[in-house]
Amino acid sequence: MEPGDLGLSTSTTPRRSRGRRAGLLAALGTVPFFGYLAVFLLLPIGVLAVEAFRATDPVTYQESWSTDSIVAVTDGAYRRAYLGSLQLSATTALLAAVLGLALAVAVLQAKRGRLLRRLVLTASGVLANFGGIPLAFAFIATIGTSGVVTALLGDLGVGLGGFSLYSMTGLGLVYLYFLVPLMVLTIVPALEGLRPQWREASDNLGASSWQYWRHVGGPVLAPPVIGATMLLFASAFAAYATARALVGSSVPLVPLQIADALSSNVLVGSENLGKALALGMVVLVGIVMVFYTWVQRRTQRWLQ
């Protein structure tokens, strides 16, 4: 007896039709996301890419194609701003990567550290998103010129030893406040991906702890650590509100220069300097994120 004799259909057409409808509905669900992406990411980048190569004649106010803005942002104060942002971002990203990695390893290896791990991860989730004006105010109230800790140390005759919160060093300290927790959140899944069998096999073969980390743990963790450091770099490079509240224009940084240019704080005929600065920033962050994506793929290959 065949299934068709019982009135049962053996055709796969209805099943395929239902699969297509489900796929179409799923595709329609992504339309708002891609629309949002196009309007608030791709469109601004396209405008920057066009306007950065436009110039306005200061006499006739006629616009024309020009590379003057691109050339201008690679020299003088704008070049110093790029160097300042790169120096601050690279330094804080490396320090945060080292400190965050050490904290994550300590928490995961702590005996009976389940509660400690939950506390650290929860605190990291909060602190990694605590930035901007509130963070700047917290540091000003604590170790600013009239901060609580500054006043207490002054009464004790100790002082801050020449440390100033309103400097590149002070700004780097504030950045570490949210970069270290971000590193913890990023690197903990990679540390948890290290299989205990690898360490057991290493111990059975008589390898020391140093040999295990050099030949097994280190190569496996290198891609995620590098990728997380790239993510920290991009986060520090794009930070604006905290820097504006703390150092203003006293420290050369690209986001602050862009804000000044967009506030018309430029010479007549140089209105597109801010867009050229922003385009350079988009290119740099884009390169970093492409490298981060490549490293993440190598990480998944090891941890699957």
Side-chain angles (χ1 to χ4, degrees), residues 10 30 34 57 64 66 75 86 97 103-104 114 144 149 161 167 179 203 213 219 224 231 253 259 268 275 288 293 295:
T10 58
T30 63
F34 285 108
D57 190 290
S64 61
S66 173
D75 194 18
L86 290 173
L103 177 60
R114 191 171 180 178
V149 175
S167 63
L179 290 180
D203 293 338
W213 284 108
L231 186 64
L253 296 175
V268 177
K275 295 165 185 171
V288 170
T293 304
V295 171

Side-chain angles (χ1 to χ4, degrees), residues 96-110 116-117 120-121 123-124 127 180-181 183-185 187-188 191:
V98 173
L99 296 175
L101 179 61
L103 177 60
V105 171
V107 170
L108 292 179
Q109 291 187 347
L116 177 63
R117 176 186 167 187
V120 171
L121 291 180
S124 297
L127 297 179
V180 172
M183 179 66 183
V184 173
L185 293 177
I187 204 62
V188 162
L191 290 172

Side-chain angles (χ1 to χ4, degrees), residues 9-89:
S9 175
T10 58
S11 175
T12 58
T13 301
R15 187 179 303 171
R16 290 179 180 176
S17 180
R18 287 194 297 271
R20 288 174 183 172
R21 285 199 297 270
L24 180 60
L25 289 175
L28 288 175
T30 63
V31 170
F33 168 75
F34 285 108
Y36 184 86
L37 197 69
V39 173
F40 294 102
L41 181 62
L42 299 181
L43 182 59
I45 292 177
V47 171
L48 289 177
V50 172
E51 293 295 328
F53 290 93
R54 302 283 291 175
T56 304
D57 190 290
V59 178
T60 63
Y61 292 98
Q62 290 184 346
E63 292 191 350
S64 61
W65 294 102
S66 173
T67 58
D68 291 347
S69 298
I70 300 296
V71 174
V73 300
T74 61
D75 194 18
Y78 302 113
R79 181 172 178 269
R80 290 194 295 274
Y82 271 114
L83 293 177
S85 286
L86 290 173
Q87 178 187 355
L88 177 65
S89 304

